[in-house]
Amino acid sequence: MKQFISVRDVNNIDAIVKKALSYKADPLKDKTIGAHKRIGCLFLNPSMRTRLSTQIAAQNLGMDAIVFNVGSEGWALEFEEEAIMSGNTVEHVKDAAPVMGKYFDILAIRTFPSLKNRADDYSELFMKQFIKYAGIPVVSLESATLHPLQSLTDILTITEAAAKSDPDSHRDRNRKSKIVLTWAPHVKPLPQCVANSFAQWVNAWGKAEFVITHPEDYELSEEFTKGATITQNQDEALTDADFVYVKNWSTYNDYGKIYSNNPKWMMTNKKLSITNNAKVMHCLPVRRNVELSDEILDGPNSLVTQQAANRVWAAQAVLSEILRPRPLKGS
Ligand code: CP
């Protein structure tokens, strides 16, 4: 693997999930493959899970991890080619990224969208410029439009949970699991990254019946959702669901807005009752009793802690693939 920016960098999703689960079973089994190697983790935006899990994953492989909160502690970076840097930016990525390429063996980067200009955000300029100028493998720790480490974790968590027998589920084991991605209210306009990326991975995986539900005006880009059933009827979507992924996103078409914050879209136990005893997922951080009710988050159907804990194994599988560039055999 040369980079990890989206699902397109993965040959075989099941094989990398299997590898991640093997690290969960035996975290230190490859504890020397990263010896004498260093990963730089650059954060242009805040993080808790991604930052900590990536460091733990690197350490489990014997790598040194250095975190740089470039967004709050570094020089303000310029990303536009041929920019006349007479404004607030201090250093061009053309100059900064090659230096990082000399310090590190892998560069991992978190950026966020501005949510002001869709074309700019969806061009993924920040990530592309780091890839172009760093000269070393780049891993996305979340970009303007995608969050692939989260999505790999999500597929891993679904795989793990689906393999467990659930006495309260009436799913015919021969039918595919039904996975529902549901929009939820939020107080701030949030990126579409997690929803885009989850849709992209579930569609590429192709192992589930996949339904996306959201209010009018919250359509995501077809680039990521194509293949899913899309409905504005949340109850219809939730009926018989095995997994419900709850996430807010701001509008894509009239970009970056909040059109509706109807609390009836919040996931509750009442809604859970129409599912097939669904397991409930969220990438965290979550706004309690806005996106998801306490009763679900603190109840037996919530996978959110397991999901966040699994971030380590997804990151470890990706880093090990980059460190040891051999094609994965089929699962
Ligand atoms: N889910 C996730 O990416 O969490 P952090 O923003 O805390 O890294």
Side-chain angles (χ1 to χ4, degrees):
M1 190 185 282
K2 295 199 175 90
Q3 61 177 26
F4 185 75
I5 305 301
S6 84
V7 74
R8 286 193 284 274
D9 297 309
V10 173
N11 289 331
N12 183 327
I13 294 175
D14 281 331
I16 197 159
V17 164
K18 193 170 164 187
K19 181 163 202 173
L21 287 170
S22 78
Y23 283 128
K24 184 167 185 173
D26 187 359
L28 299 180
K29 75 188 177 91
D30 282 334
K31 65 178 185 225
T32 58
I33 66 167
H36 315 300
K37 306 248 183 208
R38 202 176 291 131
I39 181 171
C41 300
L42 266 55
F43 287 87
L44 281 88
N45 300 87
S47 164
M48 192 265 260
R49 281 144 288 270
T50 307
R51 173 181 172 144
L52 298 178
S53 61
T54 306
Q55 287 180 87
I56 296 167
Q59 284 167 10
N60 284 348
L61 297 169
M63 289 190 96
D64 281 336
I66 294 182
V67 172
F68 179 24
N69 294 315
V70 65
S72 56
E73 296 164 3
W75 300 118
L77 289 175
E78 175 63 56
F79 290 89
E80 292 290 344
E81 295 289 340
E82 297 177 25
I84 297 169
M85 290 173 56
S86 56
N88 292 330
T89 54
V90 178
E91 178 161 30
H92 204 285
V93 67
K94 255 173 145 165
D95 303 310
V99 175
M100 293 178 194
K102 297 292 178 210
Y103 292 159
F104 302 118
D105 301 281
I106 299 175
L107 195 56
I109 301 154
R110 165 169 283 198
T111 70
F112 266 14
S114 67
L115 292 180
K116 292 190 173 83
N117 181 313
R118 188 175 83 188
D120 282 355
D121 288 344
Y122 275 69
S123 76
E124 290 284 13
L125 179 68
F126 288 18
M127 199 58 73
K128 282 185 181 151
Q129 293 290 64
F130 272 112
I131 291 168
K132 184 171 172 186
Y133 292 115
I136 56 173
V138 170
V139 172
S140 169
L141 299 174
E142 187 169 357
S143 67
T145 66
L146 294 171
H147 197 351
L149 277 175
Q150 181 67 55
S151 309
L152 170 56
T153 307
D154 299 336
I155 301 279
L156 183 168
T157 306
I158 289 169
T159 302
E160 206 176 26
K164 269 195 178 160
S165 67
D166 175 359
D168 297 321
S169 163
H170 54 77
R171 180 166 75 89
D172 170 358
R173 307 285 294 178
N174 295 318
R175 85 156 163 84
K176 286 180 172 181
S177 294
K178 180 176 178 183
I179 300 175
V180 177
L181 169 62
T182 180
W183 182 91
H186 202 283
V187 293
K188 286 173 68 180
L190 295 190
Q192 294 106 33
C193 318
V194 171
N196 283 344
S197 196
F198 185 69
Q200 186 188 44
W201 278 73
V202 175
N203 280 325
W205 192 40
K207 293 248 169 114
E209 179 191 347
F210 183 36
V211 181
I212 301 173
T213 184
H214 55 71
E216 191 180 5
D217 299 318
Y218 279 90
E219 291 77 15
L220 293 162
S221 167
E222 263 195 34
E223 178 188 348
F224 307 112
T225 60
K226 203 165 181 200
T229 302
I230 301 170
T231 173
Q232 291 172 12
N233 184 333
Q234 192 191 37
D235 283 356
E236 183 184 284
L238 293 174
T239 302
D240 283 334
D242 301 296
F243 293 92
V244 179
Y245 201 105
V246 181
K247 186 72 186 89
N248 169 269
W249 60 88
S250 59
T251 52
Y252 170 75
N253 288 323
D254 181 20
Y255 191 59
K257 309 275 190 315
I258 296 180
Y259 266 40
S260 130
N261 246 339
N262 190 339
K264 88 174 177 59
W265 278 82
M266 181 174 79
M267 194 66 200
T268 58
N269 268 353
K270 187 160 178 254
K271 289 187 184 177
L272 201 58
S273 68
I274 60 175
T275 69
N276 180 25
N277 195 36
K279 300 294 179 215
V280 181
M281 304 174 71
H282 188 288
C283 62
L284 302 181
V286 65
R287 295 272 183 155
R288 279 176 174 254
N289 303 309
V290 177
E291 291 176 87
L292 260 166
S293 62
D294 277 342
E295 60 190 2
I296 292 203
L297 283 164
D298 300 331
N301 289 56
S302 172
L303 289 182
V304 300
T305 305
Q306 180 182 337
Q307 190 182 349
N310 281 340
R311 292 289 306 269
V312 172
W313 320 119
Q316 197 166 334
V318 167
L319 295 183
S320 78
E321 280 305 297
I322 291 174
L323 289 167
R324 197 166 44 188
R326 283 187 282 109
L328 280 172
K329 292 199 180 83
S331 59

